[in-house]
Amino acid sequence: MRKFFRYLFQYAILVAFGYFVYQTAFKKDTPPVHDRAAWTQRDGFVALGYGGITIDENVHSLVSKSRLREHLTALAKAGYKTITTSDLVDFYEKNKPLPEKALYLMFEGGRKDSVLFSQPVLTGVGFNAALYLYGDRLTGWQRFFVRRSELRKIADNPFWDVGSMGYHSELINQTPSGGYAYYLTERLAGAAGASEETQEAYDARVAADFTLARQSIEDLAGKAPLGYLFMPANTLGVSLPAAEARPNEAALAKNFPVAFTRVGETYNPRDANPRGLTRMQVAPDWTADRLLLEIESRQPKSRYMDFSQSVRQGLWQVTLGDMAVMGQSLTMTAPVGKDGFARLRGSEGFENFLCEVKTTPPDGGASTIYLRYRDAGSFVRIRTTAERVMVQEKNGPSLNTIFQYVLPLDHTGPVAFDLCVKGNRLLLGVDGKNVSRYPIPLTADTIRGSFALGAADEDDPTPEPATFTDLTLSTFPPRWISAPTIGDVPLGDARTLTAVVLPADTLQADPLRDAAALITASVNGVGVHLDLTGQGPEAVLQTVHFVETAPASMVFAKLLRGFVLPLGGPGDLGQLKVAIDTLHAKGFSVALRVDAAWQARLLDLDRALSPDWLLFDTPPPADDSALTALENRFDRTRMLFRAASQAGSQTVSYDVKR
């Protein structure tokens, strides 16, 4: 009888293997459709991770096949479209667009059941996915994992990409008490627990593992894997010490163009580190509605109205400390000896926004408003104590205070902020007063990031909370005005005006007067571009020379943002590229003015042209489909269309398509 069951078990393995080969190699399913010519968004994408898949509804540690079908069907119905790992690489390296609701679907661990049971579900909804695996499991004894002979079939299947989780899957530094470490996260320990591996040996071991991870898949699949999944999540780039992080980051950059190192959030914006991406791991008991709710709560938002409900709705990702709601106020309590921190989900793409908030710092501590937060090494924040307000910026190891305002000695109660962030400028109002004569300049490295709140109360063993009341946030799109002179620009109502275009020759008529005009615009946070329309590309160098040598050249060089260049004939495109590259090298932005005749010819332009903006001298077409090809080629958030002029006005407005 025992022999019979052994034969039965072996037969079952053969049947499963045959079904696996059939599913992944020979079954002629219709491959997923990727209409890349119709993709137009360059904001970001959602990433979801699944572990193994089971057909047994009583196994509660894995997502069942039926539950997976519910999830993917609901995602497809909600408009999500899957993308490949190659699409991610092109998105970050070549600024290629993605579908409107881009979804990157991952199956982690290299389990065979992930492929066996998800393949028919993927086929049914027309999705593709990526399988991430350890290299050493391709030849191990465990039959639960994808084997060498099966990998090529999966890699050739149009429904699947293959990515790496590293080569060595075994844990290291295991102790009798249950302690352990992942293979790449620590130096090897000796018998007594002390490290016996030198830093040099550790660096070499890390580099070798990344190389093996890539080669083990490349040799069998016939193509190099593009994606990497660092284990454990939330260590590299988060908590891994610098001595261990450096060799991992170097080896990762050498072998893989994209990597997922974090877990918990779903959304990856375009300015994210492509080797520090995040995904959300789907819980086995989540319904389809719960999955959609978790995704949507983390999606980019354009406006938040009711912050009293934001904690309950899960809009805040609290990393350290505690956040609570008290009436119309949010409170943030810091842990002892550390700064409390809560990031507003969905705020990653805020470029231009208004914020009003009243904050009361804890006694002896500080409340913090992060205007843009990318990570612990890159942010802009406003730190408020009982005595002063400080605007601080960090890019790398050093924290710099770029502006501070001392509160009046008789100040009591909360500090009221009225903030306007436009590109890389901050307009700061405190208690109804503009406390900075000029907009505060921010570095280009902090042009994007999340909105966040924080608190610090380091000396108190029982910290008091920081309070934030009457918080409002609203974004606004870029808005440009073209005018004959700076006097024609309504700077009195310029709070959401981002740029003004002036004729280039106005600078040459009276440089000192126009330097004053540039200062006036800058005071209002409005960038000035000089219009070279009607002149050949060779005029750019002459104008730049004038800007650098004029009597007010110091003002021009500091406050002039860029130039508007015309599209000329085909013979001028080579000169135009040289002009754009020259201006970019000198730190200026470039907008191309596009008239009706050239609009239809834009798609024929040499792809080497890289303007920062396109100014269309026509309104946006009524039929959105007419713009699809242009938005596929150019960033739609940098395409501005002429608005209707007001009667008697000499100014022309340009706005993004609504």
Side-chain angles (χ1 to χ4, degrees):
M1 182 63 69
R2 183 178 302 172
K3 187 175 183 180
F4 170 77
F5 281 115
R6 185 170 68 250
Y7 283 137
L8 186 63
F9 178 70
Q10 291 172 346
Y11 178 76
I13 291 177
L14 289 174
V15 171
F17 176 74
Y19 180 69
F20 176 84
V21 173
Y22 171 72
Q23 283 290 123
T24 58
F26 301 116
K27 189 176 180 182
K28 301 301 182 182
D29 290 321
T30 302
V33 176
H34 298 100
D35 188 7
R36 293 181 174 87
W39 294 357
T40 60
Q41 74 92 0
R42 290 175 170 84
D43 299 322
F45 66 96
V46 167
L48 298 178
Y50 285 87
I53 305 299
T54 181
I55 56 174
D56 187 349
E57 300 288 344
N58 295 317
V59 177
H60 302 300
S61 60
L62 300 176
V63 175
S64 69
K65 181 181 176 181
S66 60
R67 180 57 57 86
L68 177 67
R69 180 176 286 108
E70 292 174 9
H71 286 177
L72 301 194
T73 301
L75 288 167
K77 189 175 294 186
Y80 287 93
K81 298 185 181 301
T82 50
I83 54 177
T84 67
T85 314
S86 180
D87 292 326
L88 294 189
V89 176
D90 287 345
F91 174 65
Y92 283 111
E93 292 188 355
K94 301 178 182 179
N95 195 33
K96 293 286 188 69
L98 298 174
E100 201 62 36
K101 285 189 171 183
L103 170 65
Y104 187 69
L105 191 59
M106 312 164 65
F107 289 86
E108 306 174 18
R111 292 172 60 109
K112 202 173 296 186
D113 55 21
S114 294
V115 180
L116 283 172
F117 302 136
S118 63
Q119 177 70 57
V121 180
L122 294 175
T123 302
V125 296
F127 278 5
N128 60 269
L131 180 70
Y132 281 82
L133 51 81
Y134 282 106
D136 63 354
R137 288 178 175 170
L138 292 169
T139 56
W141 61 272
Q142 281 275 15
R143 294 286 174 177
F144 292 110
F145 301 108
V146 171
R147 314 284 290 173
R148 289 170 54 93
S149 59
E150 301 151 356
L151 182 63
R152 182 60 179 261
K153 301 178 182 67
I154 299 173
D156 289 342
N157 187 322
F159 288 89
W160 292 96
D161 291 341
V162 178
S164 176
M165 297 174 68
Y167 185 80
H168 290 92
S169 62
E170 72 266 22
L171 301 174
I172 62 172
N173 297 343
Q174 300 187 63
T175 66
S177 61
Y180 64 88
Y182 283 76
Y183 187 77
L184 297 177
T185 59
E186 284 186 6
R187 292 158 60 181
L188 295 175
S195 176
E196 66 176 14
E197 185 178 34
T198 65
Q199 184 68 46
E200 292 75 15
Y202 170 76
D203 293 355
R205 176 165 64 86
V206 168
D209 192 81
F210 274 95
T211 301
L212 282 171
R214 174 179 51 78
Q215 289 179 342
S216 62
I217 296 175
E218 184 175 7
D219 293 345
L220 296 172
K223 51 188 173 184
L226 299 175
Y228 188 89
L229 194 66
F230 191 88
M231 297 296 290
N234 299 331
T235 53
L236 183 62
V238 180
S239 61
L240 198 65
E244 285 72 38
R246 279 193 296 268
N248 276 285
E249 290 168 348
L252 178 58
K254 184 177 180 180
N255 289 279
F256 297 92
V258 295
F260 290 82
T261 62
R262 295 179 293 130
V263 69
E265 296 302 302
T266 61
Y267 190 75
N268 293 280
R270 64 176 169 181
D271 63 337
N273 175 5
R275 296 185 181 89
L277 302 175
T278 181
R279 82 279 189 194
M280 182 174 69
Q281 292 177 323
V282 180
D285 61 342
W286 283 2
T287 64
D289 287 342
R290 169 72 183 276
L291 175 62
L292 292 175
L293 180 63
E294 293 287 345
I295 294 173
E296 293 301 322
S297 70
R298 293 162 169 82
Q299 288 284 73
K301 308 292 193 302
S302 60
R303 189 176 181 89
Y304 295 85
M305 300 300 294
D306 187 1
F307 279 90
S308 65
Q309 300 298 315
S310 60
V311 175
R312 182 185 61 80
Q313 294 169 351
L315 296 182
W316 296 96
Q317 180 192 18
V318 182
T319 305
L320 286 171
D322 296 303
M323 174 171 271
V325 177
M326 295 181 61
Q328 295 299 311
S329 299
L330 296 174
T331 64
M332 184 77 212
T333 305
V336 177
K338 297 182 179 180
D339 281 10
F341 181 83
R343 183 184 68 87
L344 184 61
R345 290 183 167 120
S347 61
E348 298 89 349
F350 286 9
E351 182 176 3
N352 307 309
F353 65 93
L354 304 172
C355 173
E356 293 184 5
V357 63
K358 298 174 183 175
T359 181
T360 303
D363 288 341
S367 59
T368 308
I369 302 167
Y370 290 88
L371 301 175
R372 289 179 176 144
Y373 182 93
R374 294 187 65 179
D375 53 49
S378 177
F379 57 76
V380 178
R381 71 183 186 186
I382 298 176
R383 192 89 153 175
T384 305
T385 67
E387 296 83 24
R388 67 189 67 237
V389 171
M390 294 169 286
V391 179
Q392 299 177 320
E393 193 171 52
K394 189 174 186 182
N395 283 294
S398 60
L399 176 66
N400 301 311
T401 298
I402 58 176
F403 178 83
Q404 64 176 317
Y405 169 69
V406 178
L407 295 170
L409 293 176
D410 58 352
H411 185 279
T412 59
V415 179
F417 287 104
D418 184 6
L419 310 170
C420 177
V421 178
K422 291 197 283 190
N424 62 344
R425 294 292 189 273
L426 165 64
L427 281 68
L428 175 63
V430 178
D431 293 332
K433 174 183 177 182
N434 290 328
V435 296
S436 174
R437 184 176 180 184
Y438 301 109
I440 301 168
L442 311 174
T443 67
D445 292 335
T446 55
I447 194 65
R448 288 177 184 267
S450 298
F451 185 87
L453 300 176
D457 197 2
E458 299 181 0
D459 299 328
D460 194 339
T462 56
E464 295 183 3
T467 303
F468 303 89
T469 307
D470 298 334
L471 173 61
T472 63
L473 265 177
S474 61
T475 63
F476 57 92
R479 183 168 67 93
W480 291 34
I481 284 182
S482 178
T485 68
I486 192 68
D488 296 304
V489 178
L491 291 176
D493 185 29
R495 191 164 177 78
T496 59
L497 178 64
T498 55
V500 58
V501 179
L502 299 175
D505 57 7
T506 58
L507 292 180
Q508 300 178 21
D510 190 341
L512 294 179
R513 180 202 65 193
D514 290 303
L518 286 178
I519 293 174
T520 302
S522 180
V523 167
N524 290 274
V526 179
V528 173
H529 287 65
L530 298 184
D531 192 355
L532 295 178
T533 300
Q535 304 180 50
E538 68 280 357
V540 173
L541 296 179
Q542 299 174 8
T543 305
V544 170
H545 177 73
F546 173 79
V547 167
E548 294 175 336
T549 59
S553 59
M554 289 294 292
V555 175
F556 290 163
K558 291 287 186 183
L559 301 183
L560 186 64
R561 295 285 185 85
F563 292 85
V564 177
L565 305 182
L567 275 171
D572 295 331
L573 294 183
Q575 291 178 292
L576 183 59
K577 180 184 184 308
V578 172
I580 292 174
D581 292 344
T582 299
L583 291 172
H584 282 165
K586 292 180 177 293
F588 294 112
S589 68
V590 177
L592 289 185
R593 187 183 291 279
V594 184
D595 60 21
W598 258 100
Q599 185 168 332
R601 300 167 62 188
L602 265 179
L603 296 176
D604 298 327
L605 285 178
D606 184 346
R607 288 185 178 272
L609 289 180
S610 55
D612 302 286
W613 300 88
L614 293 176
L615 295 185
F616 291 89
D617 279 327
T618 56
D623 182 7
D624 284 349
S625 63
L627 281 178
T628 299
L630 277 175
E631 292 179 344
N632 177 267
R633 169 78 182 278
F634 299 100
D635 187 347
R636 65 188 182 190
T637 66
R638 294 296 185 266
M639 296 169 58
L640 303 180
F641 294 87
R642 183 168 182 157
S645 301
Q646 295 182 352
S649 174
Q650 299 187 67
T651 65
V652 177
S653 294
Y654 293 86
D655 303 285
V656 294
K657 177 175 67 72
R658 302 303 178 98

